[in-house]
Amino acid sequence: MSLKQINGILFKQMVINGANNLANKSKYVDQLNVFPVPDGDTGTNMSMTMTAGAKALVSLEEASIGKVAKVLSRGLLMGARGNSGVILSQLFRGFATGLEGKDEANIEEIAKALESGVKTAYKAVMKPVEGTILTVARESAEAAVEKYETVDSIVDLYELVVSEMQVSLDRTPELLPVLKEVGVVDSGGQGLTYIFEGFLKALKGETIALEEVTETNAESAQMALSNDEAEFGYCTEFILRIDEKRTPFKEDVFRGRLEKLGNSIVVVQDEDIVKVHVHTLTPGEALNLAQKHGEFMKLKIENMTEQHNEIIGQNAPQEAPAKREQAEYGIISVVAGEGIKNLFEEQGCHYVIEGGQTMNPSTEDFLKAIDELNAKNIIILPNNSNIIMAANQAAQVTEDVNVVVVPSKTIPQGYTALMMFNENASVEDNTEEMTQAIAEVKSGQVTYAVRDTQMNGVDIKENDFIGILDKDIVVSVPSRFESACALVDQMIDEDSEIVTILFGEGVDEDEADELAEYIENKFEDVEVTIFEGQQPVYSYIISVE
């Protein structure tokens, strides 16, 4: 008997299957990153977003597909990370709207709900770009609406959708030239296809399990613990592939360094693969230590304090923390690196979310920051183009607080905007001044290439140091110092007055001083300032105003 309708119980299994399928393949999706830099994170962001949605359903006992879809939508919205995660959450938000009030959904209703999801996602993106996840979602939904009358079951409908997704995905390089230049398909579209492949398998009765089980749920043990008995923090797990060209890896030395950061440490090495588990209050520091030796193959961070509080919350009376006295303004910035964090706080930032290119904060992270600040007006500086949508989504769902996102795409833009903030000015004037300021700064970054490729006429070799001016790779050479010099040569012109250098992990102050001396000797009219940013991934972040 063919399946003509699906209810919430089956849809829940579809979601879990889709989340697991994507999680199993997220590393491959990460590798589809167009830029050959060590921060490809589309797969990770989409997987964390989808997993957040699936977790919201785990304990839900509900047969109505409309109600299950609504809970999924909320879970995805709160867990959305990066642009791809936000778009994914919007696709299912519109899907849930299309199924509102329904206990079961038939072939036509599912097809039209997919179409509703696409419309919602397109509205959420200020300037939709074709050849991306949006195109894959739209073309597959259009096929579903056009052809649903020709299929006999829900299974047939999803087979049609998945087939069209793959065709659309294969076309993305023809729509987006940069994909064709690099020789990949769109990473977001690939992630979406994996999710729907998981959906289809669930409809066929196939269950997809996570390829690697990490931790079991230990509710009874958690209930027995109190904050006086255990220190929580973040359960940080990763698999690292050692790169011989980086700092040599010694298992006992690495374990010793981790012991300074936390406990419950497991370090297991098998030739060039290292598996690590640690409970720490500072997961970023653990990741920074590891990245000096190689590249992450898998990465997972969970907030154990939050998990513990959720488990014991209804069983242990808790006194609500006193709210801070409401302020007129609160400024939130997203930065990575202790030095940069200090720089922003000294300039007047009220709340720093530690994150950035390799660790995009979720919508929920922003909502927590907004709540803790307790201000009438909140200004968010995302400082990364891949974080702006999550910040905007948090602003849209916040009530009783005026939240404004100043769309800073880099650390230099964010810092320049922050310098323009005037606590005595209106929020409208501040927004205007800060937004104008980000257009007047040039941003440069130096990092290393993770693969051979060619972009914008620049030949790039793996492990070369590449200089990025705003969005474009402009230089690729074996020497980090030479890459930085070549980058500033292209950044500085006759109108330039101030150059700020933030040097990151792996760069000593002597080299940074040498770079400053190079600039001062070649460009006599500019003023150069150096800060130790301690940022991961990027050896140098350079601002020119």
Side-chain angles (χ1 to χ4, degrees):
M1 184 176 178
S2 61
L3 187 66
K4 300 291 187 181
Q5 294 183 321
I6 56 174
N7 61 13
I9 297 172
L10 179 53
F11 182 61
K12 172 181 172 180
Q13 184 56 50
M14 291 168 63
V15 171
I16 294 170
N17 246 29
N20 287 350
N21 196 45
L22 176 58
N24 291 341
K25 298 173 180 178
S26 61
K27 186 63 179 178
Y28 171 73
V29 178
D30 281 343
Q31 292 171 347
L32 295 176
N33 184 37
V34 170
F35 261 30
V37 297
D39 59 12
D41 54 7
T42 299
T44 300
N45 282 338
M46 292 186 71
S47 180
M48 293 179 77
T49 301
M50 197 66 194
T51 298
K55 283 183 176 179
L57 301 183
V58 168
S59 60
L60 182 67
E61 298 295 334
E62 177 59 62
S64 163
I65 190 171
K67 292 179 180 178
V68 172
K70 185 176 181 179
V71 173
L72 171 65
S73 172
R74 179 65 178 174
L76 291 171
L77 184 146
M78 296 297 288
R81 295 175 186 268
N83 293 346
S84 55
V86 173
I87 292 171
L88 184 65
S89 73
Q90 293 299 309
L91 286 170
F92 284 99
R93 178 186 173 195
F95 182 81
T97 300
L99 297 178
E100 189 172 358
K102 300 185 185 300
D103 292 330
E104 294 183 330
N106 59 29
I107 297 171
E108 178 182 357
E109 289 166 338
I110 291 292
K112 291 184 176 179
L114 292 172
E115 182 182 46
S116 173
V118 169
K119 290 179 179 178
T120 301
Y122 266 83
K123 288 179 182 177
V125 180
M126 187 173 297
K127 295 180 180 179
V129 176
E130 298 301 336
T132 65
I133 181 175
L134 290 170
T135 306
V136 175
R138 176 178 56 77
E139 292 183 342
S140 58
E142 287 173 350
V145 171
E146 290 172 6
K147 301 176 182 179
Y148 73 85
E149 293 179 338
T150 67
V151 301
D152 296 324
S153 69
I154 298 287
V155 175
D156 291 342
L157 178 68
Y158 272 87
E159 282 185 333
L160 169 69
V161 169
V162 170
S163 176
E164 183 55 45
M165 279 186 169
Q166 190 59 58
V167 172
S168 179
L169 181 66
D170 291 341
R171 280 198 299 261
T172 56
E174 301 302 321
L175 298 174
L176 206 54
V178 67
L179 296 175
K180 191 171 186 178
E181 183 180 3
V182 179
V184 296
V185 295
D186 177 66
S187 54
Q190 180 67 80
L192 185 67
T193 303
Y194 284 148
I195 291 169
F196 274 73
E197 285 178 352
F199 288 179
L200 180 58
K201 286 184 180 293
L203 288 169
K204 293 180 176 181
E206 301 175 40
T207 299
I208 299 175
L210 285 172
E211 290 179 354
E212 183 173 331
V213 178
T214 52
E215 286 197 344
T216 57
N217 185 7
E219 280 195 31
S220 58
Q222 287 288 324
M223 289 300 298
L225 290 172
S226 72
N227 285 322
D228 293 327
E229 296 173 293
E231 181 178 32
F232 295 97
Y234 298 86
C235 175
T236 305
E237 296 178 284
F238 54 84
I239 297 176
L240 187 77
R241 185 186 298 279
I242 295 172
D243 185 346
E244 294 180 354
K245 297 179 182 178
R246 300 195 195 177
T247 304
F249 180 87
K250 294 183 180 179
E251 186 173 333
D252 55 341
V253 175
F254 186 76
R255 185 182 288 107
R257 289 173 176 167
L258 284 182
E259 286 174 353
K260 297 178 181 179
L261 301 179
N263 52 33
S264 298
I265 295 167
V266 177
V267 180
V268 180
Q269 183 177 4
D270 182 10
E271 296 183 354
D272 65 335
I273 303 297
V274 181
K275 182 174 181 180
V276 177
H277 173 281
V278 60
H279 291 175
T280 174
L281 295 171
T282 54
E285 291 184 39
L287 300 183
N288 291 340
L289 280 177
Q291 202 163 32
K292 294 177 181 178
H293 303 289
E295 281 298 315
F296 296 114
M297 298 175 65
K298 282 193 174 182
L299 175 64
K300 175 172 156 296
I301 300 174
E302 291 187 341
N303 188 329
M304 296 183 297
T305 305
E306 196 71 19
Q307 292 173 338
H308 172 76
N309 291 340
E310 288 175 359
I311 291 169
I312 69 171
Q314 294 181 346
N315 297 276
Q318 296 181 8
E319 184 178 342
K323 273 275 189 182
R324 296 181 183 180
E325 185 177 345
Q326 190 175 48
E328 186 68 27
Y329 278 109
I331 301 177
I332 300 170
S333 297
V334 182
V335 307
E338 189 64 26
I340 298 178
K341 177 176 180 287
N342 293 338
L343 200 62
F344 271 70
E345 288 177 340
E346 289 169 3
Q347 190 57 42
C349 179
H350 304 104
Y351 194 108
V352 169
I353 298 176
E354 295 190 44
Q357 191 62 40
T358 57
M359 195 183 296
N360 295 165
S362 66
T363 301
E364 187 171 17
D365 292 330
F366 284 110
L367 293 175
K368 287 180 179 178
I370 291 167
D371 183 62
E372 287 187 29
L373 278 180
N374 189 29
K376 296 177 183 177
N377 300 291
I378 298 285
I379 297 174
I380 300 178
L381 297 169
N383 303 332
N384 187 297
S385 60
N386 204 36
I387 298 175
I388 292 174
M389 288 189 72
N392 281 330
Q393 188 155 266
Q396 290 166 7
V397 301
T398 299
E399 299 178 355
D400 303 323
V401 178
N402 181 31
V403 182
V404 176
V405 178
V406 175
S408 54
K409 297 180 179 180
T410 65
I411 291 295
Q413 287 185 357
Y415 189 68
T416 301
L418 185 58
M419 293 177 69
M420 297 303 297
F421 172 72
N422 180 355
E423 63 180 6
N424 296 316
S426 69
V427 68
E428 292 80 12
D429 288 344
N430 268 316
T431 302
E432 183 178 355
E433 289 291 328
M434 295 171 79
T435 302
Q436 286 179 356
I438 66 178
E440 297 172 2
V441 60
K442 297 178 186 176
S443 303
Q445 297 167 315
V446 175
T447 186
Y448 59 90
V450 296
R451 64 173 183 268
D452 293 350
T453 189
Q454 186 179 70
M455 293 193 71
N456 303 320
V458 178
D459 288 320
I460 300 165
K461 301 297 181 184
E462 184 177 358
N463 294 317
D464 268 6
F465 285 92
I466 55 180
I468 306 169
L469 174 53
D470 293 326
K471 291 183 177 181
D472 298 326
I473 295 176
V474 296
V475 60
S476 177
V477 292
S479 165
R480 179 174 63 203
F481 179 75
E482 290 179 10
S483 178
C485 290
L487 175 61
V488 296
D489 284 347
Q490 297 200 41
M491 295 180 69
I492 300 174
D493 57 30
E494 60 184 12
D495 296 323
S496 302
E497 298 177 354
I498 301 172
V499 177
T500 304
I501 299 171
L502 302 171
F503 63 95
E505 293 179 342
V507 179
D508 58 39
E509 192 169 356
D510 289 342
E511 183 181 311
D513 286 338
E514 189 177 354
L515 176 60
E517 185 178 350
Y518 169 84
I519 296 170
E520 289 169 341
N521 289 337
K522 188 166 184 177
F523 306 96
E524 296 179 355
D525 295 332
V526 302
E527 177 185 335
V528 183
T529 306
I530 302 173
F531 294 101
E532 183 178 6
Q534 298 173 273
Q535 69 271 11
V537 181
Y538 294 98
S539 304
Y540 290 104
I541 296 175
I542 302 169
S543 167
V544 175
E545 301 173 65

